[in-house]
Amino acid sequence: PDDLAVLASPPPRGTRAGHAGPSPSPLGGHAPAAGPGAGLSLQRLQELVRRHGRFPEGQRLHVWRFLLALPDRRGEHAQLAARGMHKAFANLQGDYPLGARRLSARLQRALSCLGHWCPALAMAAWLPSLCFPFLHVLGADDCVAFEGCATLVLNWAQGWAQEVPGEPRRAARAVERLVHAHAPQLYAHLCAIPAVAGPGGGAPSDGA
């Protein structure tokens, strides 16, 4: 059976559907009321993960658009995209070789829009590494890719821009403390790797 179709169908009468719709997006507005994510709820998605351990293949983009409450503000994205490639990412293929030209171009477009949207991000050397893994999940839609990466930065990378052009050392130290407390063997292993700890050794955040 089509699990997503079951999730998107109205719940049985007399049962509670849980969360009825997406919460406001940090980018402003709401995710579209109609479309691929219409009818989904957090409760139903949680039940799906408990039952199958994953979201349905081929439907993950729709689910993540719902969970991230992406506003689908294509007019605003088009204005950013119309400004063209940001000069900070003009040599992205040389600095961040991916091999796949199409994927590299997608990353370059997403980063350029982020740089036009928030100039401080254009100076962040960590931005390509942060955004790249999410391009695979967010699909080939440039607007979705930009809004997903912007939501990621707004919710989970707040304060990082304050340390630009340096690395987000405060966040790195927080992760370091968690790894040291919960995985001491992994922490010791990371400290022994020069590329992670730095040429002089020491804590992983010292080599950030």
Side-chain angles (χ1 to χ4, degrees):
D2 187 342
D3 287 316
L4 194 69
V6 173
L7 285 173
S9 63
R13 183 169 297 179
T15 61
R16 190 174 178 182
H19 181 61
S23 57
S25 165
L27 295 175
H30 296 261
L40 295 179
S41 71
L42 290 179
Q43 181 179 342
R44 291 184 171 190
L45 292 174
Q46 289 167 350
E47 292 174 356
L48 178 68
V49 172
R50 282 195 295 267
R51 189 181 308 122
H52 300 284
R54 60 184 178 86
F55 296 132
E57 194 72 32
Q59 301 292 348
R60 292 176 184 170
L61 173 60
H62 304 323
V63 172
W64 281 111
R65 287 178 66 179
F66 168 79
L67 291 175
L68 294 173
L70 301 185
D72 200 37
R73 297 174 64 173
R74 297 187 177 272
E76 288 85 343
H77 171 260
Q79 292 178 8
L80 292 171
R83 298 173 67 176
M85 183 189 305
H86 197 289
K87 62 180 181 180
F89 306 108
N91 193 39
L92 182 67
Q93 294 187 17
D95 298 335
Y96 199 80
L98 297 177
R101 183 173 299 179
R102 184 175 299 179
L103 183 59
S104 180
R106 283 175 51 204
L107 179 62
Q108 193 171 46
R109 291 194 298 271
L111 295 175
S112 293
C113 285
L114 288 168
H116 293 312
W117 174 63
C118 177
L121 292 177
M123 298 184 291
W126 44 262
L127 190 64
S129 298
L130 179 71
C131 295
F132 171 68
F134 293 90
L135 289 185
H136 290 281
V137 178
L138 297 171
D141 188 313
D142 283 353
C143 180
V144 173
F146 162 71
E147 291 184 348
C149 291
T151 299
L152 174 71
V153 170
L154 284 172
N155 284 275
W156 290 281
Q158 286 189 4
W160 291 23
Q162 297 174 5
E163 301 182 69
V164 167
E167 301 292 339
R169 291 187 176 274
R170 283 179 292 183
R173 292 190 186 100
V175 173
E176 177 187 321
R177 289 192 293 269
L178 288 172
V179 174
H180 184 267
H182 298 285
Q185 290 183 334
L186 175 60
Y187 178 82
H189 174 70
L190 293 173
C191 288
I193 301 175
V196 176
S205 61
D206 294 337

